[in-house]
Amino acid sequence: MVFQRKHILGLEELDAREINLVLDTAASMKEVSERDVKKVPALKGTTVVNLFFEPSTRTRSSFEIAEKRLSADVLNFTLSQSSVIKGETLLDTARNLEAMGAGVIVIRHSMSGAPWLLAKELHSSIINAGDGSHEHPSQALLDLFTIREIKGEIGGLVVVIVGDIRHSRVARSNIWGFLRLGAEVRVVGPATLIPKEIEYMDVKVFYTLEEALKDADVVIMLRIQMERQGSEYFPSLREYSKFYGLSREKLRIAKDDVSVMHPGPINRGVELSSEVADDVNSVILDQVSNGIAVRMAMLYLVASGGRNV
Ligand code: CP
């Protein structure tokens, strides 16, 4: 099968066949990551720029590891040391990096739509590493990969996404991804953190965590996105945690083999207790490990230029 896309911008625009191709390719990449010599020459001669305008631990580090495992030449853009501080625009910055030979640009930006702007204006392949509160495709793809690996199949699973749906790019990408592969998707949180447009997505909306957790196969806990909230959406973190925080007791409502996910960073004691985060049902560190193979697959596919894979 041929991956026809030059860019990976969001899960909304990928169909089930394309998502499965990324996941299948990631399975091969995971096998590379388990070898003694974790390196293949697939991106030898390709320059990849990691253009991060927002902080990141997991996404940035795992893209860099993925690029190095594919033998790419890697440039990490550092915002605080860049000419953006002197007023250079995003587009001018990206065009200059492209003029230096960037074949792939991995971008994280606070502005929703920034990766689409670069894809429209540049010749390089663009991978979205998170744009505002819009999409975070590599996170959703690694979540899908992790769940497919554990459960065997995604179709028919009950997936519950908990918390700050309004500001979460992880929620939006996961909704598209899990729906495309045939899961039932539920969202739950305070009414103020469930956006109105959710009505147009094929998800079930709950306002009580206990109700949403019935028969759940997968629970995705979200961090409260304090950096994207202009005003107060709930009275206090303590109250939020009481109603929407995941404890061992609440988790018993879900299926016995429920998988607990979190994109990180975790706020222990807010969206989930430490005992849940570190329990046997938690797959949080599996998500992080799988992020490398999934990002290798994304880089490989966009750089493969429509070749059969
Ligand atoms: N999940 C995620 O995007 O984490 P980082 O912000 O650390 O990259």
Side-chain angles (χ1 to χ4, degrees):
M1 179 181 161
V2 176
F3 191 76
Q4 300 285 3
R5 292 179 187 273
K6 187 175 168 191
H7 316 288
I8 297 182
L9 303 174
L11 267 278
E12 184 177 3
E13 58 197 41
L14 296 188
D15 62 26
R17 210 181 46 112
E18 291 171 306
I19 293 173
N20 279 320
L21 178 59
V22 178
L23 304 188
D24 293 344
T25 308
S28 304
M29 294 301 179
K30 186 159 178 172
E31 187 267 316
V32 171
S33 293
E34 286 162 358
R35 293 181 195 162
D36 289 340
V37 179
K38 303 176 191 347
K39 219 172 174 87
V40 286
L43 260 63
K44 205 171 171 61
T46 301
T47 300
V48 183
V49 176
N50 296 316
L51 186 58
F52 278 59
F53 287 80
E54 282 192 327
S56 168
T57 297
R58 281 146 289 271
T59 312
R60 181 168 162 153
S61 309
S62 63
F63 263 116
E64 185 175 345
I65 293 171
E67 290 148 11
K68 287 178 174 166
R69 286 195 181 165
L70 293 171
S71 308
D73 296 319
V74 180
L75 178 80
N76 289 311
F77 167 88
T78 309
L79 179 62
S80 62
Q81 302 295 316
S82 77
S83 288
V84 172
I85 304 301
K86 300 178 214 163
E88 190 165 41
T89 65
L90 164 64
L91 203 47
D92 281 335
T93 302
R95 279 189 179 131
N96 277 270
L97 292 166
E98 184 176 66
M100 293 178 214
V104 182
I105 296 179
V106 179
I107 178 174
R108 170 171 286 192
H109 203 284
S110 58
M111 185 181 79
S112 295
W116 278 261
L117 174 70
L118 297 198
K120 184 167 163 279
E121 298 293 336
L122 271 63
H123 302 289
S124 313
S125 286
I126 308 297
I127 295 180
N128 181 2
D131 65 315
S133 43
H134 182 214
E135 281 238 32
H136 192 344
S138 66
Q139 180 68 47
L141 288 164
L142 73 87
D143 291 347
L144 290 165
F145 181 84
T146 302
I147 291 304
R148 194 179 80 160
E149 204 172 52
I150 294 168
K151 309 279 187 197
E153 179 148 14
I154 298 216
L157 295 178
V158 174
V159 178
V160 184
I161 308 179
V162 186
D164 187 358
I165 312 296
R166 177 181 293 278
H167 302 100
S168 175
R169 53 196 178 203
V170 174
R172 245 165 284 279
S173 289
N174 266 318
I175 289 171
W176 291 121
F178 278 101
L179 285 177
R180 290 279 190 282
L181 298 193
E184 174 185 317
V185 179
R186 302 174 182 172
V187 298
V188 55
T192 48
L193 291 178
I194 309 279
K196 187 92 181 93
E197 70 264 21
I198 208 84
E199 289 170 12
Y200 305 108
M201 300 172 99
D202 191 19
V203 302
K204 297 186 177 170
V205 180
F206 293 78
Y207 300 101
T208 312
L209 180 55
E210 287 82 347
E211 278 179 33
L213 287 174
K214 278 177 202 148
D215 300 320
D217 297 288
V218 178
V219 184
I220 303 176
M221 302 305 297
L222 300 174
R223 183 175 65 85
I224 297 288
Q225 305 267 305
M226 289 300 187
E227 70 275 28
R228 296 189 213 288
Q229 297 194 13
S231 55
E232 293 294 326
Y233 285 86
F234 47 85
S236 67
L237 279 179
R238 190 197 294 210
E239 189 153 342
Y240 175 84
S241 181
K242 180 168 173 235
F243 290 107
Y244 297 102
L246 189 61
S247 61
R248 230 183 217 156
E249 194 189 347
K250 285 186 206 160
L251 195 58
R252 282 197 200 101
I253 300 168
K255 286 191 180 160
D256 289 345
D257 64 347
V258 64
S259 295
V260 176
M261 311 186 90
H262 193 302
I266 298 174
N267 287 311
R268 289 172 184 264
V270 179
E271 63 267 17
L272 79 176
S273 66
S274 266
E275 56 179 15
V276 172
D278 303 328
D279 207 358
V280 285
N281 293 84
S282 169
V283 299
I284 295 170
L285 291 178
D286 300 296
Q287 291 172 261
V288 176
S289 304
N290 288 333
I292 296 172
V294 168
R295 289 175 174 123
M296 285 171 78
M298 295 170 76
L299 288 156
Y300 173 70
L301 289 171
V302 297
S304 68
R307 285 198 304 272
N308 219 347
V309 289

